Amino acid sequence: MCLLLLGLLLSLSCISGLPFYNGFYYANRSHGQNLNNSHGKGLLDRVKLVVETPEETLFSHRGANVTLPCRYHYEPALVSPRRVRIKWWKLSENGTLEWDVLVAFGLRHCAFGDYQGRVRLRQDEAREVSLEIQDLRLEDHGRYRCEVIDGLEDGSGLVELELRGVVFPYQPPQGRYQLNFHEAQQACKEQDAVVASFEQLFRAWEEGLDWCNAGWLEDATVQYPITRARQPCGGLGLAPGVRSYGSRHRRLHRYDVFCFAAALKGQVYYLEHPEKLTLAEAKEACQEDGAQIAKVGQLFAAWKFHGLDRCDAGWLADGSARYPVVNPHPSCGPLEPGVRSFGFPDPQSRKYGVYCYRPR
Ligand SMILES: *[C@@H]1O[C@H](CO)[C@@H](O)[C@H](O)[C@H]1NC(C)=O
Ligand SMILES: *[C@@H]1O[C@H](CO)[C@@H](O)[C@H](O)[C@H]1NC(C)=O
Ligand SMILES: *[C@@H]1O[C@H](CO)[C@@H](O)[C@H](O)[C@H]1NC(C)=O
Ligand SMILES: *[C@@H]1O[C@H](CO)[C@@H](O)[C@H](O)[C@H]1NC(C)=O
């Protein structure tokens, strides 16, 4: 059924591209133009299909339902409506790939891939063909195209969707520059995050992220954000900005990674516990509390969106020890807000508490 619909769409857009059809159409149009009526009536033969989408980026958050608005109309208005086919698809970040999201023709709708069961067409008003996406996932951010095809005309518009979240640099226990692109994707996933996009890193840089190690981004480029130019970090001659090494080999080249974690539904907290714990004891203690040891992405999200502020370093699921600071204090490290890291201490050491995560 889906393939049928898609096939129908494809074949229809192909038909409108056939030379025979084109000749027919243009013959009528040039006929109108030849009249060269000074009132421009000759051009009325040419009906334009206009697709409208919002210019500004839409913001939403993980788990939410969002509607990507799209409307169309004809200029000049048509007396009798034409049947239209709608196609929504998503563009890859570098613009070279497309993924079908939904196609619709009359009452028949069809969703594809991960969007099955999560998307529907909203047609609350005449000529509205908005796309509703339910239960937003981290991967859903990006550019969507809304295309309206009526057999004679077609038009399309772009909608840009961003998720609220926080970007953080990540290094695995093995140290700096150890991850190829595929391992970087896995590393972010294990922290309840995804590899950040350039837009996400750029926004984080605007908000002050400064990191002197280069990391993978979603499009397999490698970049790093600098807000203060300095000697050990590209030198004083280079202006602040997001600096790029360009595209790198996904398997052969190794860097850190920038992950993107979305605002959480659940809660991250420092476990009140009489003693400091080893890593294994920390995991157990969270479970006894009806929770799980928190992941790095969850700690960053709680710091950024729930204002988690605590001067006690605690274990996290990846074996690192960190603590989140919202209101800096001289007795609590550097005088800037942030999530501080002690790296990956000896798992047997009893110097740290633990941060737990309880989903809601
Ligand atoms: C083109 O002109 C012919 C005859 O004048 C008409 O029958 C046909 O509907 C026109 N086609 C379009 C696309 O307007
Ligand atoms: C249309 O007519 C106007 C005035 O009658 C003339 O100046 C113009 O060159 C004409 N254009 C074409 C495309 O024939
Ligand atoms: C999203 O829509 C679905 C179906 O209409 C509904 O069950 C769900 O509660 C909605 N979720 C939110 C977060 O509004
Ligand atoms: C663009 O991105 C897609 C998906 O992320 C990837 O498969 C493709 O190789 C990329 N193309 C270029 C030219 O980078």
Side-chain angles (χ1 to χ4, degrees):
M1 155 74 182
C2 278
L3 284 175
L4 209 74
L5 256 185
L6 194 62
L8 190 68
L9 272 168
L10 288 175
S11 61
L12 278 164
S13 47
C14 289
I15 289 170
S16 68
L18 286 176
F20 170 72
Y21 186 86
N22 264 349
F24 190 70
Y25 181 63
Y26 288 125
N28 280 24
R29 186 151 63 97
S30 62
H31 174 67
Q33 273 169 350
N34 285 345
L35 287 176
N36 191 13
N37 178 315
S38 57
H39 300 293
K41 269 190 197 147
L43 293 176
L44 287 189
D45 277 351
R46 181 97 212 268
V47 175
K48 211 165 102 198
L49 174 59
V50 180
V51 174
E52 290 173 283
T53 48
E55 274 176 25
E56 64 282 4
T57 301
L58 296 183
F59 280 90
S60 192
H61 52 272
R62 191 185 202 175
N65 296 343
V66 69
T67 298
L68 313 187
C70 181
R71 289 188 172 76
Y72 68 94
H73 65 269
Y74 290 93
E75 284 175 4
L78 284 186
V79 184
S80 50
R82 293 178 186 165
R83 286 191 84 179
V84 294
R85 293 144 191 99
I86 311 300
K87 183 178 174 190
W88 275 94
W89 73 82
K90 188 177 178 212
L91 303 166
S92 68
E93 207 188 353
N94 57 26
T96 59
L97 281 185
E98 298 167 356
W99 295 281
D100 292 311
V101 175
L102 176 139
V103 296
F105 177 49
L107 291 173
R108 286 179 291 169
H109 291 188
C110 185
F112 297 89
D114 286 346
Y115 292 98
Q116 279 175 33
R118 290 200 300 135
V119 290
R120 67 186 183 104
L121 207 60
R122 291 196 66 137
Q123 299 181 283
D124 304 343
E125 294 167 22
R127 296 183 300 281
E128 176 182 0
V129 290
S130 303
L131 179 74
E132 181 181 280
I133 309 178
Q134 291 169 2
D135 193 18
L136 273 184
R137 298 180 183 167
L138 281 177
E139 301 80 4
D140 288 343
H141 74 87
R143 288 176 299 158
Y144 290 78
R145 190 172 278 284
C146 165
E147 184 174 30
V148 181
I149 307 156
D150 78 2
L152 291 178
E153 296 287 334
D154 82 31
S156 70
L158 268 185
V159 184
E160 189 148 1
L161 174 66
E162 280 282 342
L163 263 68
R164 297 217 179 270
V166 54
V167 171
F168 62 95
Y170 190 76
Q171 272 175 10
Q174 300 83 341
R176 184 172 186 253
Y177 291 178
Q178 296 294 322
L179 303 170
N180 70 23
F181 182 68
H182 305 291
E183 290 158 355
Q185 287 178 312
Q186 188 59 30
C188 289
K189 199 172 162 200
E190 283 166 7
Q191 306 317 315
D192 199 16
V194 291
V195 179
S197 69
F198 175 76
E199 280 78 15
Q200 288 162 349
L201 182 66
F202 188 80
R203 198 159 289 120
W205 169 77
E206 286 180 316
E207 291 172 8
L209 182 64
D210 184 285
W211 193 251
C212 203
N213 297 312
W216 290 103
L217 293 181
E218 188 189 27
D219 60 359
T221 60
V222 169
Q223 317 207 18
Y224 65 100
I226 294 299
T227 48
R228 292 170 285 113
R230 54 194 185 276
Q231 203 55 53
C233 204
L236 294 166
L238 277 176
V242 176
R243 298 177 185 160
S244 180
Y245 289 5
S247 292
R248 296 275 123 169
H249 196 286
R250 288 166 189 248
R251 194 163 37 79
L252 298 181
H253 291 145
R254 293 180 179 273
Y255 292 94
D256 294 345
V257 59
F258 290 98
C259 304
F260 175 82
L264 295 168
K265 280 191 210 154
Q267 189 203 3
V268 174
Y269 59 97
Y270 183 80
L271 184 70
E272 301 301 338
H273 196 272
E275 297 118 34
K276 300 283 162 82
L277 307 156
T278 66
L279 178 57
E281 289 165 352
K283 288 181 179 171
E284 228 166 82
C286 286
Q287 275 170 14
E288 280 165 16
D289 205 43
Q292 278 170 359
I293 187 166
K295 297 175 174 173
V296 178
Q298 293 164 346
L299 185 67
F300 269 91
W303 164 74
K304 169 106 179 178
F305 297 102
H306 297 177
L308 186 64
D309 189 15
R310 181 89 199 204
C311 203
D312 297 292
W315 290 108
L316 295 173
D318 65 341
S320 62
R322 303 176 196 240
Y323 64 97
V325 174
V326 176
N327 303 304
H329 191 270
S331 64
C332 199
L335 286 178
E336 284 160 31
V339 173
R340 318 243 187 271
S341 177
F342 286 86
F344 296 85
D346 175 1
Q348 297 303 324
S349 63
R350 277 203 182 81
K351 285 193 225 145
Y352 308 101
V354 61
Y355 286 94
C356 307
Y357 172 64
R358 190 179 287 130
R360 237 203 301 280

